[in-house]
Amino acid sequence: METKIILIRHGESLGNALKLYVGHTDVDLTEDGYEQARDAAEYFKNEKISAVYSSDLKRAYETARLHAEMRSLPVITSKELREVFVGIWEGVHVDEVVERWPIEFGVDWRIKFGTCVPPEGEAVCEAGKRMHEKLLSIAKESDGTVIVASHGAAIRAFWCYLGGSEPEKWGEFAPFPSNASATFIGFDGERLVPIKYAFDEYVKNKTYVI
């Protein structure tokens, strides 16, 4: 497999730190988040990278930018790499979400994950499919190793979708990836191939918030 994708979750965001569900809401990284992003960039500095892609949201873009600047590459942004859109949960504190949507959040999001459809939001399983289609397209047009910066729930949904399990079992299949962790995917010329999920040994100050 000559083509490899290093899929990196953004560093801790302001939404993460405040325990808000932000989805498509555009927020920056925290100071800790920038430090986590620098940890990732330092760890992968000797990788030969042919392209850098990112969600068009700032927290992912800023994570990707460090890798791109090291190599004088542009960051290619895409809406298809965005976080799961969480509808009316956007900007809402996790405690309020727990109280007001005990089934959608407490069962579907937290336990089953793949069956969750946030009110007026995007189905998690559809987000996994969206991510798979975009990453497959990136793999087909790439040569060598590429870095892609995206978001926690979107990366988890993609990994579960790639694994082929039923959406109601996604909660058992994989946890949420930690901030600035890397998920490795190969490409055999036709299909994406899972290699390693949520590797984060290089991150000094780990956060697992979602």
Side-chain angles (χ1 to χ4, degrees):
M1 293 182 289
E2 295 183 356
T3 299
K4 182 174 71 174
I5 295 173
I6 302 174
L7 179 58
I8 299 177
R9 183 185 178 186
H10 62 75
E12 182 189 59
S13 72
L14 293 169
N16 295 150
L18 295 172
K19 297 184 178 180
L20 302 177
Y21 279 87
V22 289
H24 287 192
T25 304
D26 206 7
V27 297
D28 202 351
L29 300 174
T30 64
E31 289 185 14
D32 285 344
Y34 275 103
E35 186 63 34
Q36 292 167 344
R38 285 190 288 270
D39 287 344
E42 178 67 19
Y43 183 81
F44 291 109
K45 68 180 181 181
N46 293 322
E47 285 276 353
K48 187 176 180 181
I49 302 298
S50 60
V52 178
Y53 293 82
S54 173
S55 154
D56 63 341
L57 298 176
K58 186 173 185 178
R59 56 197 188 272
Y61 178 88
E62 288 298 312
T63 301
R65 178 180 59 81
L66 301 177
H67 299 270
E69 288 181 350
M70 282 182 171
R71 301 164 175 88
S72 298
L73 292 171
V75 178
I76 304 167
T77 60
S78 171
K79 289 183 178 181
E80 284 75 22
L81 295 169
R82 282 186 177 190
E83 179 60 292
V84 177
F85 177 56
V86 293
I88 60 177
W89 292 357
E90 301 249 339
V92 179
H93 193 279
V94 62
D95 290 346
E96 183 178 348
V97 175
V98 170
E99 181 180 352
R100 293 179 60 188
W101 294 278
I103 302 301
E104 293 92 336
F105 179 81
V107 177
D108 290 338
W109 181 267
R110 281 301 190 191
I111 298 174
K112 297 181 180 180
F113 186 59
T115 65
C116 186
V117 184
E120 300 181 23
E122 177 183 22
V124 169
C125 59
E126 288 300 316
K129 180 180 179 182
R130 157 173 64 84
M131 285 284 290
H132 182 271
E133 289 176 351
K134 182 59 182 179
L135 292 171
L136 181 60
S137 173
I138 288 172
K140 287 180 176 179
E141 64 189 32
S142 298
D143 183 21
T145 300
V146 299
I147 283 176
V148 178
S150 187
H151 305 262
I155 292 171
R156 185 188 188 193
F158 157 73
W159 188 257
C160 293
Y161 183 92
L162 184 62
S165 63
E166 295 298 320
E168 60 267 21
K169 297 180 180 179
W170 284 12
E172 305 169 9
F173 189 80
F176 286 106
S178 57
N179 290 111
S181 63
T183 292
F184 301 90
I185 306 110
F187 178 61
D188 66 4
E190 296 181 3
R191 296 171 297 178
L192 298 176
V193 180
I195 298 175
K196 189 177 182 64
Y197 181 69
F199 173 75
D200 66 0
E201 290 182 9
Y202 51 83
V203 181
K204 300 181 186 70
N205 181 23
K206 297 179 177 61
T207 49
Y208 297 86
V209 288
I210 178 66

